[in-house]
PDB file of all heavy atoms in Angstrom:
ATOM      1  N   THR A  41     -41.896 -20.556  44.859  1.00  0.00           N
ATOM      2  CA  THR A  41     -42.566 -21.728  45.260  1.00  0.00           C
ATOM      3  C   THR A  41     -41.886 -22.499  46.332  1.00  0.00           C
ATOM      4  O   THR A  41     -42.321 -23.296  47.081  1.00  0.00           O
ATOM      5  CB  THR A  41     -42.920 -22.568  44.083  1.00  0.00           C
ATOM      6  OG1 THR A  41     -41.662 -23.078  43.552  1.00  0.00           O
ATOM      7  CG2 THR A  41     -43.549 -21.842  42.994  1.00  0.00           C
ATOM      8  N   LEU A  42     -40.527 -22.338  46.288  1.00  0.00           N
ATOM      9  CA  LEU A  42     -39.607 -23.051  47.212  1.00  0.00           C
ATOM     10  C   LEU A  42     -39.240 -22.331  48.491  1.00  0.00           C
ATOM     11  O   LEU A  42     -39.056 -23.010  49.480  1.00  0.00           O
ATOM     12  CB  LEU A  42     -38.361 -23.529  46.528  1.00  0.00           C
ATOM     13  CG  LEU A  42     -38.420 -24.464  45.336  1.00  0.00           C
ATOM     14  CD1 LEU A  42     -37.047 -24.645  44.619  1.00  0.00           C
ATOM     15  CD2 LEU A  42     -38.862 -25.793  45.780  1.00  0.00           C
ATOM     16  N   HIS A  46     -43.078 -19.562  51.339  1.00  0.00           N
ATOM     17  CA  HIS A  46     -43.099 -20.200  52.710  1.00  0.00           C
ATOM     18  C   HIS A  46     -42.478 -19.311  53.783  1.00  0.00           C
ATOM     19  O   HIS A  46     -42.928 -19.384  54.963  1.00  0.00           O
ATOM     20  CB  HIS A  46     -42.200 -21.513  52.648  1.00  0.00           C
ATOM     21  CG  HIS A  46     -42.725 -22.467  51.599  1.00  0.00           C
ATOM     22  ND1 HIS A  46     -43.992 -23.098  51.618  1.00  0.00           N
ATOM     23  CD2 HIS A  46     -42.262 -22.920  50.398  1.00  0.00           C
ATOM     24  CE1 HIS A  46     -44.176 -23.900  50.656  1.00  0.00           C
ATOM     25  NE2 HIS A  46     -43.078 -23.839  50.002  1.00  0.00           N
ATOM     26  N   SER A  49     -45.079 -17.320  55.312  1.00  0.00           N
ATOM     27  CA  SER A  49     -46.106 -18.029  56.078  1.00  0.00           C
ATOM     28  C   SER A  49     -45.649 -18.399  57.495  1.00  0.00           C
ATOM     29  O   SER A  49     -46.332 -18.956  58.307  1.00  0.00           O
ATOM     30  CB  SER A  49     -46.509 -19.286  55.405  1.00  0.00           C
ATOM     31  OG  SER A  49     -45.461 -20.250  55.315  1.00  0.00           O
ATOM     32  N   LEU A  50     -44.339 -18.139  57.750  1.00  0.00           N
ATOM     33  CA  LEU A  50     -43.788 -18.381  59.074  1.00  0.00           C
ATOM     34  C   LEU A  50     -44.649 -17.474  60.198  1.00  0.00           C
ATOM     35  O   LEU A  50     -44.730 -16.275  59.950  1.00  0.00           O
ATOM     36  CB  LEU A  50     -42.307 -18.058  59.159  1.00  0.00           C
ATOM     37  CG  LEU A  50     -41.304 -19.104  58.375  1.00  0.00           C
ATOM     38  CD1 LEU A  50     -40.009 -18.576  58.494  1.00  0.00           C
ATOM     39  CD2 LEU A  50     -41.476 -20.504  58.921  1.00  0.00           C
ATOM     40  N   PRO A  51     -44.804 -18.052  61.269  1.00  0.00           N
ATOM     41  CA  PRO A  51     -45.595 -17.376  62.285  1.00  0.00           C
ATOM     42  C   PRO A  51     -44.690 -16.230  62.897  1.00  0.00           C
ATOM     43  O   PRO A  51     -43.432 -16.368  62.946  1.00  0.00           O
ATOM     44  CB  PRO A  51     -45.996 -18.350  63.390  1.00  0.00           C
ATOM     45  CG  PRO A  51     -44.916 -19.496  63.090  1.00  0.00           C
ATOM     46  CD  PRO A  51     -44.682 -19.510  61.689  1.00  0.00           C
ATOM     47  N   LYS A  60     -33.996 -21.158  62.911  1.00  0.00           N
ATOM     48  CA  LYS A  60     -33.775 -22.475  62.221  1.00  0.00           C
ATOM     49  C   LYS A  60     -34.512 -22.625  60.956  1.00  0.00           C
ATOM     50  O   LYS A  60     -33.944 -23.028  59.958  1.00  0.00           O
ATOM     51  CB  LYS A  60     -33.935 -23.624  63.273  1.00  0.00           C
ATOM     52  CG  LYS A  60     -32.794 -23.886  64.158  1.00  0.00           C
ATOM     53  CD  LYS A  60     -31.513 -24.155  63.334  1.00  0.00           C
ATOM     54  CE  LYS A  60     -30.403 -24.518  64.413  1.00  0.00           C
ATOM     55  NZ  LYS A  60     -29.131 -24.845  63.658  1.00  0.00           N
ATOM     56  N   PRO A  61     -35.898 -22.334  60.989  1.00  0.00           N
ATOM     57  CA  PRO A  61     -36.526 -22.308  59.674  1.00  0.00           C
ATOM     58  C   PRO A  61     -36.079 -21.399  58.620  1.00  0.00           C
ATOM     59  O   PRO A  61     -35.923 -21.701  57.500  1.00  0.00           O
ATOM     60  CB  PRO A  61     -38.033 -21.951  60.103  1.00  0.00           C
ATOM     61  CG  PRO A  61     -38.142 -22.291  61.523  1.00  0.00           C
ATOM     62  CD  PRO A  61     -36.816 -22.137  62.127  1.00  0.00           C
ATOM     63  N   PHE A  64     -33.046 -22.820  57.265  1.00  0.00           N
ATOM     64  CA  PHE A  64     -33.322 -23.955  56.308  1.00  0.00           C
ATOM     65  C   PHE A  64     -33.671 -23.324  54.815  1.00  0.00           C
ATOM     66  O   PHE A  64     -33.201 -23.832  53.952  1.00  0.00           O
ATOM     67  CB  PHE A  64     -34.555 -24.721  56.868  1.00  0.00           C
ATOM     68  CG  PHE A  64     -35.311 -25.591  55.957  1.00  0.00           C
ATOM     69  CD1 PHE A  64     -34.675 -26.708  55.438  1.00  0.00           C
ATOM     70  CD2 PHE A  64     -36.486 -25.244  55.255  1.00  0.00           C
ATOM     71  CE1 PHE A  64     -35.302 -27.595  54.516  1.00  0.00           C
ATOM     72  CE2 PHE A  64     -37.085 -26.028  54.377  1.00  0.00           C
ATOM     73  CZ  PHE A  64     -36.440 -27.214  53.976  1.00  0.00           C
ATOM     74  N   PHE A  65     -34.531 -22.290  54.951  1.00  0.00           N
ATOM     75  CA  PHE A  65     -34.897 -21.673  53.700  1.00  0.00           C
ATOM     76  C   PHE A  65     -33.564 -20.922  52.990  1.00  0.00           C
ATOM     77  O   PHE A  65     -33.665 -20.994  51.767  1.00  0.00           O
ATOM     78  CB  PHE A  65     -35.937 -20.672  53.911  1.00  0.00           C
ATOM     79  CG  PHE A  65     -37.400 -21.291  54.134  1.00  0.00           C
ATOM     80  CD1 PHE A  65     -38.054 -20.977  55.369  1.00  0.00           C
ATOM     81  CD2 PHE A  65     -37.888 -22.199  53.210  1.00  0.00           C
ATOM     82  CE1 PHE A  65     -39.346 -21.600  55.514  1.00  0.00           C
ATOM     83  CE2 PHE A  65     -39.105 -22.775  53.503  1.00  0.00           C
ATOM     84  CZ  PHE A  65     -39.817 -22.501  54.606  1.00  0.00           C
ATOM     85  N   ILE A  68     -31.963 -23.767  51.137  1.00  0.00           N
ATOM     86  CA  ILE A  68     -32.647 -24.077  49.950  1.00  0.00           C
ATOM     87  C   ILE A  68     -32.318 -22.904  48.944  1.00  0.00           C
ATOM     88  O   ILE A  68     -32.116 -23.259  47.652  1.00  0.00           O
ATOM     89  CB  ILE A  68     -34.091 -24.193  50.138  1.00  0.00           C
ATOM     90  CG1 ILE A  68     -34.437 -25.330  51.100  1.00  0.00           C
ATOM     91  CG2 ILE A  68     -34.892 -24.426  48.842  1.00  0.00           C
ATOM     92  CD1 ILE A  68     -34.071 -26.717  50.610  1.00  0.00           C
ATOM     93  N   GLU A 186     -29.609 -31.775  59.368  1.00  0.00           N
ATOM     94  CA  GLU A 186     -30.354 -30.717  60.080  1.00  0.00           C
ATOM     95  C   GLU A 186     -31.527 -30.163  59.363  1.00  0.00           C
ATOM     96  O   GLU A 186     -32.391 -29.467  60.009  1.00  0.00           O
ATOM     97  CB  GLU A 186     -29.243 -29.499  60.342  1.00  0.00           C
ATOM     98  CG  GLU A 186     -28.136 -30.020  61.222  1.00  0.00           C
ATOM     99  CD  GLU A 186     -26.994 -28.930  61.324  1.00  0.00           C
ATOM    100  OE1 GLU A 186     -26.637 -28.289  60.247  1.00  0.00           O
ATOM    101  OE2 GLU A 186     -26.615 -28.530  62.381  1.00  0.00           O
ATOM    102  N   MET A 187     -31.523 -30.433  58.148  1.00  0.00           N
ATOM    103  CA  MET A 187     -32.595 -29.909  57.191  1.00  0.00           C
ATOM    104  C   MET A 187     -33.852 -30.818  57.345  1.00  0.00           C
ATOM    105  O   MET A 187     -34.953 -30.386  57.086  1.00  0.00           O
ATOM    106  CB  MET A 187     -32.222 -29.937  55.660  1.00  0.00           C
ATOM    107  CG  MET A 187     -31.153 -28.817  55.423  1.00  0.00           C
ATOM    108  SD  MET A 187     -30.582 -28.967  53.792  1.00  0.00           S
ATOM    109  CE  MET A 187     -32.086 -28.591  52.777  1.00  0.00           C
ATOM    110  N   LYS A 188     -33.650 -32.094  57.646  1.00  0.00           N
ATOM    111  CA  LYS A 188     -34.935 -33.040  57.565  1.00  0.00           C
ATOM    112  C   LYS A 188     -36.040 -32.595  58.479  1.00  0.00           C
ATOM    113  O   LYS A 188     -37.253 -32.758  57.991  1.00  0.00           O
ATOM    114  CB  LYS A 188     -34.359 -34.451  58.077  1.00  0.00           C
ATOM    115  CG  LYS A 188     -33.573 -35.196  57.003  1.00  0.00           C
ATOM    116  CD  LYS A 188     -33.209 -36.587  57.474  1.00  0.00           C
ATOM    117  CE  LYS A 188     -32.460 -37.291  56.404  1.00  0.00           C
ATOM    118  NZ  LYS A 188     -32.112 -38.661  56.704  1.00  0.00           N
ATOM    119  N   PRO A 189     -35.863 -32.076  59.686  1.00  0.00           N
ATOM    120  CA  PRO A 189     -37.053 -31.578  60.433  1.00  0.00           C
ATOM    121  C   PRO A 189     -37.924 -30.581  59.764  1.00  0.00           C
ATOM    122  O   PRO A 189     -39.045 -30.322  60.286  1.00  0.00           O
ATOM    123  CB  PRO A 189     -36.474 -31.197  61.806  1.00  0.00           C
ATOM    124  CG  PRO A 189     -35.135 -31.833  61.784  1.00  0.00           C
ATOM    125  CD  PRO A 189     -34.669 -31.804  60.475  1.00  0.00           C
ATOM    126  N   TYR A 190     -37.416 -29.883  58.860  1.00  0.00           N
ATOM    127  CA  TYR A 190     -38.166 -28.685  58.193  1.00  0.00           C
ATOM    128  C   TYR A 190     -38.562 -28.992  56.833  1.00  0.00           C
ATOM    129  O   TYR A 190     -39.061 -28.020  56.112  1.00  0.00           O
ATOM    130  CB  TYR A 190     -37.135 -27.434  58.176  1.00  0.00           C
ATOM    131  CG  TYR A 190     -36.637 -27.172  59.636  1.00  0.00           C
ATOM    132  CD1 TYR A 190     -35.343 -27.592  59.964  1.00  0.00           C
ATOM    133  CD2 TYR A 190     -37.434 -26.580  60.539  1.00  0.00           C
ATOM    134  CE1 TYR A 190     -34.806 -27.328  61.187  1.00  0.00           C
ATOM    135  CE2 TYR A 190     -36.943 -26.136  61.836  1.00  0.00           C
ATOM    136  CZ  TYR A 190     -35.629 -26.636  62.110  1.00  0.00           C
ATOM    137  OH  TYR A 190     -35.144 -26.434  63.423  1.00  0.00           O
ATOM    138  N   MET A 191     -38.381 -30.262  56.299  1.00  0.00           N
ATOM    139  CA  MET A 191     -38.740 -30.555  54.904  1.00  0.00           C
ATOM    140  C   MET A 191     -40.291 -30.496  54.759  1.00  0.00           C
ATOM    141  O   MET A 191     -40.752 -30.266  53.503  1.00  0.00           O
ATOM    142  CB  MET A 191     -38.235 -31.932  54.552  1.00  0.00           C
ATOM    143  CG  MET A 191     -36.789 -32.114  54.613  1.00  0.00           C
ATOM    144  SD  MET A 191     -35.861 -31.039  53.265  1.00  0.00           S
ATOM    145  CE  MET A 191     -36.491 -31.746  51.803  1.00  0.00           C
ATOM    146  N   HIS A 192     -41.057 -30.489  55.746  1.00  0.00           N
ATOM    147  CA  HIS A 192     -42.496 -30.445  55.620  1.00  0.00           C
ATOM    148  C   HIS A 192     -42.955 -29.107  54.973  1.00  0.00           C
ATOM    149  O   HIS A 192     -44.046 -29.042  54.544  1.00  0.00           O
ATOM    150  CB  HIS A 192     -43.194 -30.590  56.958  1.00  0.00           C
ATOM    151  CG  HIS A 192     -42.935 -29.668  58.058  1.00  0.00           C
ATOM    152  ND1 HIS A 192     -41.859 -29.695  58.850  1.00  0.00           N
ATOM    153  CD2 HIS A 192     -43.681 -28.580  58.321  1.00  0.00           C
ATOM    154  CE1 HIS A 192     -41.844 -28.659  59.585  1.00  0.00           C
ATOM    155  NE2 HIS A 192     -42.896 -27.940  59.410  1.00  0.00           N
ATOM    156  N   TYR A 193     -42.155 -28.060  55.238  1.00  0.00           N
ATOM    157  CA  TYR A 193     -42.415 -26.798  54.622  1.00  0.00           C
ATOM    158  C   TYR A 193     -42.639 -26.768  53.105  1.00  0.00           C
ATOM    159  O   TYR A 193     -43.379 -25.986  52.593  1.00  0.00           O
ATOM    160  CB  TYR A 193     -41.404 -25.714  55.101  1.00  0.00           C
ATOM    161  CG  TYR A 193     -41.499 -25.177  56.425  1.00  0.00           C
ATOM    162  CD1 TYR A 193     -40.390 -25.510  57.348  1.00  0.00           C
ATOM    163  CD2 TYR A 193     -42.516 -24.444  56.952  1.00  0.00           C
ATOM    164  CE1 TYR A 193     -40.491 -25.107  58.608  1.00  0.00           C
ATOM    165  CE2 TYR A 193     -42.553 -23.999  58.234  1.00  0.00           C
ATOM    166  CZ  TYR A 193     -41.502 -24.351  59.146  1.00  0.00           C
ATOM    167  OH  TYR A 193     -41.551 -23.870  60.399  1.00  0.00           O
ATOM    168  N   LEU A 194     -41.942 -27.739  52.533  1.00  0.00           N
ATOM    169  CA  LEU A 194     -41.950 -27.734  51.002  1.00  0.00           C
ATOM    170  C   LEU A 194     -43.034 -28.624  50.471  1.00  0.00           C
ATOM    171  O   LEU A 194     -43.195 -28.678  49.196  1.00  0.00           O
ATOM    172  CB  LEU A 194     -40.611 -28.252  50.525  1.00  0.00           C
ATOM    173  CG  LEU A 194     -39.355 -27.529  51.018  1.00  0.00           C
ATOM    174  CD1 LEU A 194     -38.026 -28.190  50.391  1.00  0.00           C
ATOM    175  CD2 LEU A 194     -39.450 -26.091  50.536  1.00  0.00           C
ATOM    176  N   HIS A 195     -43.960 -29.316  51.389  1.00  0.00           N
ATOM    177  CA  HIS A 195     -44.880 -30.152  50.801  1.00  0.00           C
ATOM    178  C   HIS A 195     -45.875 -29.485  49.864  1.00  0.00           C
ATOM    179  O   HIS A 195     -46.366 -30.132  48.928  1.00  0.00           O
ATOM    180  CB  HIS A 195     -45.761 -30.773  51.957  1.00  0.00           C
ATOM    181  CG  HIS A 195     -44.865 -31.776  52.751  1.00  0.00           C
ATOM    182  ND1 HIS A 195     -45.263 -32.341  53.910  1.00  0.00           N
ATOM    183  CD2 HIS A 195     -43.717 -32.283  52.449  1.00  0.00           C
ATOM    184  CE1 HIS A 195     -44.312 -33.070  54.310  1.00  0.00           C
ATOM    185  NE2 HIS A 195     -43.391 -33.177  53.475  1.00  0.00           N
ATOM    186  N   SER A 196     -46.210 -28.145  50.032  1.00  0.00           N
ATOM    187  CA  SER A 196     -47.159 -27.576  49.140  1.00  0.00           C
ATOM    188  C   SER A 196     -46.498 -26.909  47.991  1.00  0.00           C
ATOM    189  O   SER A 196     -47.289 -26.298  47.114  1.00  0.00           O
ATOM    190  CB  SER A 196     -47.952 -26.569  50.032  1.00  0.00           C
ATOM    191  OG  SER A 196     -47.133 -25.471  50.484  1.00  0.00           O
ATOM    192  N   SER A 197     -45.298 -27.051  47.831  1.00  0.00           N
ATOM    193  CA  SER A 197     -44.552 -26.349  46.687  1.00  0.00           C
ATOM    194  C   SER A 197     -45.010 -26.801  45.344  1.00  0.00           C
ATOM    195  O   SER A 197     -45.016 -26.010  44.412  1.00  0.00           O
ATOM    196  CB  SER A 197     -43.080 -26.508  46.797  1.00  0.00           C
ATOM    197  OG  SER A 197     -42.517 -25.921  47.946  1.00  0.00           O
ATOM    198  N   GLY A 198     -45.362 -28.083  45.112  1.00  0.00           N
ATOM    199  CA  GLY A 198     -45.855 -28.531  43.820  1.00  0.00           C
ATOM    200  C   GLY A 198     -47.042 -27.786  43.308  1.00  0.00           C
ATOM    201  O   GLY A 198     -47.092 -27.368  42.217  1.00  0.00           O
ATOM    202  N   ILE A 200     -48.173 -24.871  44.426  1.00  0.00           N
ATOM    203  CA  ILE A 200     -47.828 -23.442  44.167  1.00  0.00           C
ATOM    204  C   ILE A 200     -47.154 -23.311  42.826  1.00  0.00           C
ATOM    205  O   ILE A 200     -47.450 -22.386  42.024  1.00  0.00           O
ATOM    206  CB  ILE A 200     -46.884 -22.961  45.238  1.00  0.00           C
ATOM    207  CG1 ILE A 200     -47.686 -23.094  46.685  1.00  0.00           C
ATOM    208  CG2 ILE A 200     -46.559 -21.454  45.076  1.00  0.00           C
ATOM    209  CD1 ILE A 200     -46.860 -22.623  47.927  1.00  0.00           C
TER     210      ILE A 200
END
Side-chain angles (χ1 to χ4, degrees):
T41 68
L42 292 173
H46 300 298
S49 69
L50 289 178
K60 281 297 181 180
F64 166 76
F65 287 123
I68 299 295
E186 298 173 314
M187 293 174 63
K188 286 185 176 180
Y190 306 100
M191 294 299 290
H192 65 277
Y193 283 113
L194 303 181
H195 288 171
S196 61
S197 291
I200 300 174

